[in-house]
Amino acid sequence: MTPNGPVDAPDVVDVVALGESMVTFLPTRPGRLADVPSFERAIGGAESNVACVLASAGHTVRWVGRVGTDGFGDHLVEAIAAYGVDTSAVRRDPARPTGIYFRTAGDRASDDHEVAYYRAGSAASAMTKDNVGVDAVRSGRVLHLSGITAALSEDCLGLMRELTAPRAGRPLVSFDVNHRAHLWHHQEPGKVLLDLARGSDLVFVGEDEAEAAWGVIGGPAAIRAALPEPRALVVKQGSRGATLFQGDGEGFQGEDDTVTFVPSLKVDVVAPVGAGDAFAAGFLSATLRALPARDRLRHGHLMAAAALTVPGDLAAPPSREHADRLAALDDRAWETLRLGPGWTEAVTRAQEEVRTP
């Protein structure tokens, strides 16, 4: 599968990512939110995370969203643009604030993890097909979306349905299910997320998400049976790896899939946040480069490893040459590779030392 779209348009970019980005406050030490004395400011948002990683990896990327006319909105636009992302299509809303959230340092899946969102009534929750600039949204070879946007409001859900509806000449639609049960108040998420996934060309979903949202158990094959429509389906299997089901592009029915599994890397985890977004960015980067199925999954794992070895949501990705070299390892070398904090910079430092007289 390779991206299609209006490649002759003068303002075309590799990827457009649409969604809410928020200012994130990260704790300066572990503990309950009630006990943490101070926080460091960062940025967060599934779609803008993908945009920032892709731009850092050398792709042309546009982020489309809405923020308030407040200092947090200023910071978001400036911080995302600093990664090389085109933010010219971001709209400012004078009547609604920019969303923010606080979180603890632990794993999102752990019992003691806390997140305090202040995003109700945010500027992004008011996104519609009439106020986000649909031409800009459709100006990429790939349009990347996530289920988080659909959960924000009825207006956002309407926009998502518009963007995943069949349309001649639309870009390749990439959809990360990103099931967040606590965000859903206006709809039952299972059917909505399934409908949006069925309208997309490339879908990312975790085994745990498929069970929580759709009640599907039985592993990747069972998930593909429940979701045969997308041309490509990536099932994330946590620390075990990820499986790609790649159709032939004709019927999108899954009967003639090529199935590829790639195990996850061994990683010394610093913070388990942002890895799913980084995986999607790595996979999309390799897809834009028309790399084979195994290497698309491997680039996803490598970008996820970069995110897992830093405290925040975003990490500097490895250079393209470094990532390509690791993705080309034989199976034994790949399965024994272990990555820790600073691994993305190690090659750059070594090269600089060699060049220094």
Side-chain angles (χ1 to χ4, degrees):
M1 180 187 63
T2 54
N4 298 310
V7 294
D8 295 326
D11 62 343
V12 74
V13 293
D14 290 334
V15 179
V16 173
L18 175 141
E20 179 171 35
S21 189
M22 295 176 290
V23 172
T24 309
F25 290 93
L26 307 176
T28 54
R29 72 180 191 194
R32 302 182 310 155
L33 286 179
D35 300 328
V36 175
S38 59
F39 297 80
E40 294 181 351
R41 186 181 64 178
I43 61 173
E47 302 85 2
S48 60
N49 285 348
V50 171
C52 290
V53 174
L54 282 167
S56 297
H59 296 281
T60 54
V61 189
R62 178 172 294 125
W63 172 56
V64 179
R66 287 175 67 83
V67 299
T69 54
D70 48 34
F72 289 140
D74 293 342
H75 174 65
L76 275 177
V77 173
E78 292 166 6
I80 293 170
Y83 281 88
V85 177
D86 177 2
T87 59
S88 61
V90 176
R91 302 287 179 87
R92 309 300 293 263
D93 188 329
R96 297 177 179 85
T98 303
I100 64 172
Y101 73 98
F102 298 77
R103 67 169 174 83
T104 51
D107 186 346
R108 181 184 285 127
S110 67
D111 292 337
D112 59 352
H113 182 68
E114 297 175 76
V115 180
Y117 287 104
Y118 298 89
R119 71 197 304 181
S122 69
S125 71
M127 287 189 295
T128 72
K129 64 180 181 180
D130 298 318
N131 67 16
V132 297
V134 172
D135 288 345
V137 174
R138 292 184 171 129
S139 62
R141 298 171 62 198
V142 175
L143 170 60
H144 183 70
L145 308 168
S146 96
I148 293 172
T149 304
L152 299 180
S153 68
E154 289 284 1
D155 284 339
C156 286
L157 175 54
L159 172 62
M160 291 289 288
R161 285 177 168 151
E162 169 74 17
L163 295 175
T164 56
R167 177 187 175 90
R170 79 175 191 179
L172 185 149
V173 176
S174 164
F175 178 68
D176 193 335
V177 171
N178 260 329
H179 177 45
R180 302 286 185 267
H182 61 277
L183 293 179
W184 289 89
H185 305 296
H186 60 98
Q187 290 274 350
E188 193 63 35
K191 184 178 186 307
V192 171
L193 292 171
L194 193 58
D195 287 345
L196 294 173
R198 285 172 171 162
S200 303
D201 302 302
L202 165 61
V203 174
F204 300 93
V205 65
E207 280 185 309
D208 55 343
E209 293 178 307
E211 181 177 359
W214 306 325
V216 177
I217 57 175
I223 297 170
R224 182 54 160 171
L227 186 57
E229 294 87 357
R231 190 180 311 171
L233 172 67
V234 178
V235 179
K236 296 176 289 183
Q237 300 164 258
S239 60
R240 297 188 303 282
T243 299
L244 168 63
F245 295 87
Q246 177 73 62
D248 60 11
E250 298 299 326
F252 308 148
Q253 295 302 309
E255 293 98 341
D256 300 317
D257 279 337
T258 299
V259 183
T260 306
F261 171 79
V262 171
S264 296
L265 290 160
K266 296 178 178 65
V267 179
D268 297 325
V269 176
V270 172
V273 292
D277 303 329
F279 181 96
F283 187 93
L284 287 172
S285 175
T287 298
L288 286 159
R289 297 169 60 202
L291 298 184
R294 185 204 69 170
D295 290 3
R296 297 182 192 196
L297 290 169
R298 285 190 171 188
H299 277 274
H301 287 315
L302 287 164
M303 290 298 192
L308 288 168
T309 50
V310 298
D313 287 23
L314 288 165
S319 70
R320 183 171 291 185
E321 294 75 18
H322 189 188
D324 283 346
R325 188 160 51 251
L326 293 178
L329 292 172
D330 62 46
D331 289 346
R332 178 175 175 78
W334 175 265
E335 291 172 14
T336 57
L337 182 65
R338 189 176 194 98
L339 300 174
W343 74 269
T344 62
E345 305 297 330
V347 171
T348 301
R349 288 198 299 268
Q351 290 172 339
E352 289 175 351
E353 290 172 2
V354 169
R355 288 195 298 266
T356 301

